[in-house]
Amino acid sequence: MTIFEKSVSGRKGYSLPDEALHDSSPLSKIPEHLLRKKAVELPENSEVDIVRHYTELSRKNYSVDNGFYPLGSCTMKYNPRLNEEMASLEGFSYLHPYQPTESIQGALEVMYELQRMLAEITGMDAFTLQPAAGAHGELTGMLIVRKYFELMGEDQRKKVIVPDSAHGTNPASAKMAGFDVVEIASNPSGLIDLGNLKAALDETVAAIMLTNPNTLGLFEKDILEISKLAHDNGTLLYYDGANLNAIMGHVRPGDMGFDIVHLNLHKTFSTPHGMGGPGSGPVGVKEKLKGLLPAPLVALNDDGYYLDYDLPDSIGKVRSFYGNFGVLLKAYAYIRMLGKNGLKFASEMAVLNANYLRVKLSKLIPPSHPGICKHEFVLDGSVLVKEFGVKTLDLAKRLLDYGLHPPTIYFPLIVHEALMIEPTETESKDNLDRFAEVIEKILEEARDNPETLKNAPYSTPVRRLNETMASRKPIMRWKAEK
Ligand SMILES: *Cc1c(COP(=O)(O)O)cnc(C)c1O
């Protein structure tokens, strides 16, 4: 039921003093032509009705604050509350982007330091904080690639190579920036196939987009050879840094030979995400590409911090003002709080947790690819179809009844019936053990009574949705009946 349907004519959640409606009140001075002709249709509810309504809605929601959220590729880790507090300090939250730079030196310092810290963590030379999400960072990076080859007079470089395990945003971003996407098949180990890569590389290839560890959670061990192949061919190497959580403090994309990276601050650096909240996808580049970054960068001279618009080859602005400042603050606080060793430790725990769970679950459902993983791993759910006649989807739906968020399913596309699990570093061993126990229990149900899975979930506000209709024809608003 919506709050409108709970409306009762004449019920109020406020009281105004009588004077407010009196002739002498400011309200009476509003010119006639600016006044509504017809009362606005708002719900009429008491305060307690409203509090109960929204509390009930919030309880129907599931989040990291409710429990385990092993949604592979998304890094749904718990984010320390302290960083939220830092981002809501009044000195920051009441700033206006049009304020003169002398009056916002503190905010500029945070941005300047964050640019530098991200460059240090990734091994790049310069960063823009403007892009508002990972995919937005990818588009920014691809526009930089395009501009670079325009300036080099190499207009024939119209292709971008993307492996078949890539996140869907990679080919989409390359295409949006005007490139033709060439997909290359991974080898049986789930890694870049060097033969396929060499065959696809020629003087028309502008960039190769990779993530490392890749979307199967596997480290591309041939990365140095890949980067040599790219650079010998005059091709730029682009790093999708949404998986940085696996390697922070251990290896740096810049040292692997990447020329451009984007990071997902809302995955790795302490901003809660999902449900479309604000994100941030800063883009870092090597020195030779610095002049192409979106203007302005935050810089420092003897007079203090300032906004540097002196980027003659800039691709232009990609977002209003300077990015999602609140997200930048949280990332800054998180990095300062953990320090170098803390970031390194966070990655180690993410990888340890993933491998602990991988080994436990591999006894129940085989992994899609052999070997030690990084921060996430993929299981091959096709055995469920063969043995019990149930699909990965059924397993995922049944998990909801046990109060657990399911892993990512049916992605990456190269694994049939894929289950992609990313436990993250913020879960205890107890939580991982419980998840494995629940999976074991559900597999017993699948053997004894597969219908239990096929009709799940039973305990959620809505049962099985028509997912195609929900995505193609979502009903986003409620309309009052006249
Ligand atoms: C999440 C993710 C992206 C896209 O990031 P958004 O912020 O959702 O646009 C890109 N690549 C990988 C590997 C990801 O996990």
Side-chain angles (χ1 to χ4, degrees), residues 334-402:
Y334 182 71
I335 295 170
R336 289 296 303 269
M337 188 163 68
L338 289 189
K340 188 175 175 180
N341 292 333
L343 291 178
K344 208 170 162 190
F345 186 63
S347 284
E348 280 162 16
M349 288 303 112
V351 172
L352 181 62
N353 274 357
N355 279 288
Y356 179 76
L357 201 52
R358 178 183 61 81
V359 171
K360 276 206 121 165
L361 293 180
S362 296
K363 292 175 188 140
L364 306 169
I365 306 171
S368 66
H369 295 82
I372 290 176
C373 64
K374 285 285 174 284
H375 62 307
E376 64 193 4
F377 59 97
V378 178
L379 299 179
D380 174 359
S382 59
V383 293
L384 304 176
V385 181
K386 273 187 234 122
E387 287 184 30
F388 313 121
V390 300
K391 302 179 61 110
T392 293
L393 175 74
D394 302 318
L395 171 73
K397 293 294 182 195
R398 187 62 180 143
L399 273 168
L400 299 173
D401 288 326
Y402 286 92

